[in-house]
Every structure is written in C-alpha cells, then in structure tokens.
Amino acid sequence: MADLTRAPERAARTRDLDSLATLISSCHACPRLVAWREKVAHEKRAAFRDQEYWGRPVPGFGPEDASILIVGLAPAAHGANRTGRMFTGDRSGDVLFAAMHAVGLANQAHAESIDDGLRLIDARVTSPVHCAPPDNKPTPAERRTCAPFLTRELELMSSTLEVAVVLGGFGWQALFGVLGQAGWNVPRPRPRFTHGAIVDLAHPDGRTLTILGCFHVSQQNTFTGRLTPAMLEEVLALARRLAGSTGEP
Ligand code: SF4
C-alpha cells in the first residue's frame, strides 16, 4: 500500500484532475492537520451532530477545461471539512456561490452538500492547503508540503487557464510561490495583494495568465462590509470578461 504521508510527491505523476483529487483525498502528509481534521470530524458542531463529516483533505472542483481558477485559503472546519467540497456548507460559500451564479459562473446560488446539484461553469475552485487548519492558519511548512497539489492542478489546467482570482493575501502568497516554481515570470519584488489588484504574467512557453486580487469571502470581511456582494461580483465579472468566458449569463 502506498505511503499516504508521501502523497504530495506523487502529484506530478497524476494524469488528470480526477486522479489528482483521489490522491489529495488520501493524503496524510501533515500530522497536525490530519489530527485536527479528524478531531473536528469526530467531535462535530452541535448543529451537525447527525451528519457524517468528510474529515479528509478537500480537493478542488469544477470542469477540467475551465479558463478561470478561484483560489481560496483552506477548507473550513465545519464547512468543506464536513461536506467534502470546497466552500460548501458555510457562510463564506453562500457569498461566493451567490456571486458566481450572479455572473454566470455557477448554475445555482446555493451550496449545501456535495450532491446539491451545483455545477460550476468555466471555473474551478481550489485552495493552496487542502486540509482544515486550526484557527484557519496553516503553517508555512504545511503550505509548502501541500504546494505540489496546486502546482499540478495548474499544470493540468494549463491548456485553458486564463485568469486566477485569489481570495485573500494568504492565497495570493501561496499562488505566487507556486507560479514562480512553475516557471512563470513573477515580478520582483512580488506583487502585493490588494483588493482589485491585476497582475499579468507571462510564461517562457508563450502562455499568459492574469491574476486578480479579491478580499476573502470570510465572515470577518462580509459581515463588516469590507467585502460586499457587489465588490465580489465585480471581480468575478472582470475575470469572466478577461477569460472570454462563454459561461451562461
Ligand atoms: S494540507 Fe495538503 S499536504 Fe497536508 S495533509 Fe492535507 S492534503 Fe496533505
């Protein structure tokens, strides 16, 4: 049986996003995060005590040939770590998927469970860390350990990917680290994260990629009005225009 603590080392050999998702879901590379995700899944929040938590790493989802990639932070303890799908089952996801639906990047505005019928249109949603971390804070070492999965996801999308929307400064840092390792010409000093930031990157092989910055859809940001639905929709609509997306309006 394969050593599940070494799953990230095998990411580069996966042939498609489905096999990458299977590999991610089995990963046990970060002892602190494995212990935390399983503890949360065992203890549960009272409101979900009748549900079986996923309690494992959460892979990205969306069509393999998407031109837009939305990059978050990490699964939420009682959201994606419960439902098994990114941003599904918590307030952050309510805000994100409502906005994606409003601009034609999702077929419906709500996301409660992995079988709720949600379908993303020309967009995938992923994160640089695939396990729920305590206090929503993965360590730099955990971020580095998980990076091969995002690297491979970018590679497998390379023939269609045009735009990456990064939700928050953590995802911004993580994505630029991966892009630099993947050979993209990343400016130095590295571009700073701001809401509304636009960075165009070129790859020596001729590909181009536009990175858009957006405040994270955390409750801290959405409850305080730092990020409003209109602000999020504006960034997502721009991503769609830049990608020449033919998603359903
Ligand atoms: S955070 Fe990433 S590398 Fe670490 S255990 Fe989870 S899936 Fe594996």
Side-chain angles (χ1 to χ4, degrees):
M1 185 175 165
D3 180 353
L4 300 179
T5 65
R6 304 184 68 174
E9 296 171 31
R10 303 203 302 279
R13 298 202 295 273
T14 54
R15 293 191 176 174
D16 53 40
L17 288 165
D18 283 344
S19 52
L20 178 64
T22 300
L23 180 64
I24 291 171
S25 300
S26 70
C27 184
H28 282 63
C30 305
R32 186 184 80 115
L33 299 188
V34 171
W36 176 253
R37 75 194 191 201
E38 293 177 358
K39 178 176 186 291
V40 170
H42 176 70
E43 294 179 352
K44 304 182 182 181
R45 179 175 281 172
F48 306 124
R49 65 177 171 273
D50 296 336
Q51 298 183 19
E52 181 153 352
Y53 275 51
W54 172 251
R56 292 160 57 188
V58 183
F61 78 106
E64 181 137 4
D65 59 353
S67 60
I68 299 169
L69 182 64
I70 297 171
V71 182
L73 165 64
H78 299 281
N81 188 56
R82 173 173 59 89
T83 63
R85 195 178 65 192
M86 286 286 171
F87 284 104
T88 298
D90 61 22
R91 295 285 177 86
S92 300
D94 292 345
V95 173
L96 176 63
F97 293 121
M100 290 183 74
H101 179 248
V103 304
L105 294 177
N107 71 324
Q108 63 188 39
H110 60 278
E112 291 106 28
S113 64
I114 203 161
D115 56 0
D116 58 12
L118 175 67
R119 184 170 52 84
L120 302 188
I121 301 162
D122 201 25
R124 279 180 65 83
V125 175
T126 195
S127 63
V129 171
H130 288 281
C131 290
D135 300 322
N136 288 323
K137 284 186 187 153
T139 65
E142 289 161 350
R143 197 172 77 190
R144 282 193 298 275
T145 302
C146 207
F149 294 133
L150 181 57
T151 301
R152 188 59 180 153
E153 190 164 10
L154 290 165
E155 286 172 356
L156 289 168
M157 294 178 69
S158 63
S159 62
T160 58
L161 184 64
E162 304 272 351
V163 180
V165 177
V166 187
L167 303 174
F170 175 89
W172 185 266
Q173 282 184 17
L175 180 64
F176 273 100
V178 165
L179 289 169
Q181 286 178 2
W184 289 87
N185 297 323
V186 175
R188 289 175 186 263
R190 211 179 264 181
R192 288 186 57 192
F193 171 78
T194 55
H195 180 85
I198 303 176
V199 179
D200 290 317
L201 298 182
H203 195 280
D205 67 8
R207 284 179 288 144
T208 58
L209 179 64
T210 302
I211 315 293
L212 302 182
C214 181
F215 289 141
H216 194 275
V217 287
S218 66
Q219 290 189 49
Q220 196 180 3
N221 286 339
T222 57
F223 278 18
T224 58
R226 187 169 191 237
L227 178 69
T228 64
M231 290 166 65
L232 179 56
E233 287 173 26
E234 188 178 6
V235 175
L236 294 175
L238 175 61
R240 208 182 143 197
R241 281 200 304 280
L242 291 171
S245 173
T246 55
E248 299 151 19

